[in-house]
């Protein structure tokens, strides 16, 4: 396992952000951490990347303790967080150069990796542009390139498409798929259901700081059913789940109400298995 968390607890005042969190991520996996705002997704990433100390518990990357071996482990991790922390006054190339210097990368390797990654994220033509002139989607792609510059074994992406329009979001998804295909472990936090369902090998449902369910998207969906029947009730949308289309049709035929039939998705699974919505 590339990432292992055991009984991880983080308390902020009266708030228990993480509550005995246990998690194991296989190397080479694209793991999506799915949960509503405030579930503990960002706290987990901050702890693993040494930005916040846990209250108690253990966290290991490649078998090494993240607190005891922090200097060595920094090189194994790449992080693109929620907030844009690029230097807007520097150029695209200069932002990568600065990051490479922080990791004591030789000059020749910095130049080689920067050129490679700017092609990779389709920003080679903006290498000499100041970052403040880039669009939001370009900045997100640059943050991912910067996180990959020092050749980490695991890439942490915290809400990488938050606030982006659907077309740009799809472009970021394609980039994340490329990273995964290159053999890098990707740990993704998101509250976009379709993002987790499309990208991930495995999904963890996080609720109130605890991992409540885990599995492949297909496994989690199959625990609920394959077909959903929606009916608008007096106060809310009422949904029933069925293992096959025939049973769904029989349910509809037995009632005079208006129904909608559709395939079950990961949001249905999260709601059914946790009792809460993701958004």
């Amino acid at each position: 396992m590339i990432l292992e968390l055991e009984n991880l607890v983080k308390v902020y005042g009266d708030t228990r952000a993480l509550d005995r969190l246990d998690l194991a991520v296989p190397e080479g996996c694209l793991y999506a951490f799915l949960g509503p705002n405030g579930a503990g997704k960002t706290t987990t990433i901050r702890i693993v990347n040494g930005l916040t100390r846990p209250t108690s518990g253990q966290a290991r990357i490649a078998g090494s303790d993240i607190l005891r071996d922090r200097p060595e482990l920094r090189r194994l991790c790449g992080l693109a967080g929620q907030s844009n922390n690029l230097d807007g006054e520097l150029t695209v190339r200069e932002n990568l150069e600065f990051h490479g210097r922080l990791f004591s990368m030789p000059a020749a390797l910095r130049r080689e990796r920067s050129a490679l990654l700017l092609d990779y994220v389709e920003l080679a033509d903006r290498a000499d542009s100041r970052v403040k002139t880039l669009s939001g989607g370009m900045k997100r792609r640059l943050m991912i390139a910067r996180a990959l510059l020092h050749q980490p074994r695991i890439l942490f992406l915290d809400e990488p498409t938050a606030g982006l329009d659907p077309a740009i979001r799809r472009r970021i998804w394609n980039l994340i798929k490329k990273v995964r295909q290159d053999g890098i472990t990707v740990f993704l936090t998101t509250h976009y259901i379709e993002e987790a369902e499309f990208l991930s090998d495995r999904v963890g449902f996080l609720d109130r700081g605890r991992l409540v369910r885990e599995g492949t998207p297909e496994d989690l969906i199959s625990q609920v059913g394959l077909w959903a029947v929606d009916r608008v009730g007096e106060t809310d949308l009422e949904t029933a789940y069925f293992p096959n289309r025939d049973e769904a049709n029989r349910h509809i035929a037995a009632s005079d109400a208006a129904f909608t039939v559709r395939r079950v998705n990961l949001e249905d699974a999260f709601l059914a298995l946790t009792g809460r919505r993701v958004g």
Side-chain angles (χ1 to χ4, degrees), residues 74-75 92-111 113-114 117 145-151:
R74 284 183 68 245
R75 295 185 177 277
V92 167
R93 196 193 316 273
E94 287 168 343
N95 270 270
L96 296 180
E97 170 73 13
F98 182 71
H99 181 82
R101 287 176 179 270
L102 289 177
F103 280 85
S104 302
M105 295 174 64
L109 182 58
R110 291 197 304 267
R111 289 192 295 269
R113 291 285 298 163
S114 293
L117 287 166
R146 183 183 62 179
L148 292 170
L149 188 71
H150 60 283
Q151 299 176 291

Side-chain angles (χ1 to χ4, degrees), residues 155-228:
L155 174 65
F156 293 91
L157 300 175
D158 193 8
E159 304 283 1
T161 64
L164 300 180
D165 66 55
I168 301 302
R169 188 179 302 159
R170 290 277 177 172
R171 198 167 184 178
I172 299 293
W173 289 1
N174 184 58
L175 174 57
I176 294 171
K177 281 282 193 181
K178 286 166 61 177
V179 172
R180 166 66 180 81
Q181 289 167 1
D182 286 343
I184 298 171
T185 305
V186 178
F187 187 88
L188 167 76
T189 73
T190 183
H191 62 267
Y192 290 130
I193 293 293
E194 70 276 17
E195 188 161 278
E197 192 166 346
F198 176 73
L199 291 173
S200 62
D201 300 310
R202 295 187 65 78
V203 176
F205 287 167
L206 188 70
D207 187 32
R208 298 181 178 93
R210 303 194 76 174
L211 187 69
V212 293
R213 289 297 176 99
E214 183 183 45
T216 67
E218 295 79 10
D219 288 343
L220 292 168
I221 289 171
S222 68
Q223 291 178 38
V224 175
L226 297 180
W227 291 91

Side-chain angles (χ1 to χ4, degrees), residues 33-39 41 159 190-194 205-208 265-268 270-271 274-279:
F33 222 21
L34 188 64
N37 290 332
K41 303 186 302 295
E159 304 283 1
T190 183
H191 62 267
Y192 290 130
I193 293 293
E194 70 276 17
F205 287 167
L206 188 70
D207 187 32
R208 298 181 178 93
N265 59 38
L266 202 56
E267 184 168 19
D268 294 310
F270 189 93
L271 178 61
T274 69
R276 302 185 67 195
R277 293 193 179 275
V278 178

Side-chain angles (χ1 to χ4, degrees), residues 56-130:
S56 62
Q58 292 186 321
R60 293 184 296 275
I61 295 177
S64 297
D65 185 273
I66 63 164
L67 297 179
R68 187 183 64 241
D69 304 317
R70 186 70 243 163
E72 293 79 9
L73 290 180
R74 284 183 68 245
R75 295 185 177 277
L76 299 182
C77 302
L79 171 63
Q82 286 187 46
S83 301
N84 170 21
N85 59 356
L86 299 164
D87 191 321
E89 295 300 325
L90 297 180
T91 67
V92 167
R93 196 193 316 273
E94 287 168 343
N95 270 270
L96 296 180
E97 170 73 13
F98 182 71
H99 181 82
R101 287 176 179 270
L102 289 177
F103 280 85
S104 302
M105 295 174 64
L109 182 58
R110 291 197 304 267
R111 289 192 295 269
E112 178 186 345
R113 291 285 298 163
S114 293
L116 176 68
L117 287 166
L118 288 179
D119 280 333
Y120 192 77
V121 300
E122 302 177 37
L123 287 175
D125 61 333
R126 301 301 298 270
D128 296 316
S129 300
R130 289 191 181 186

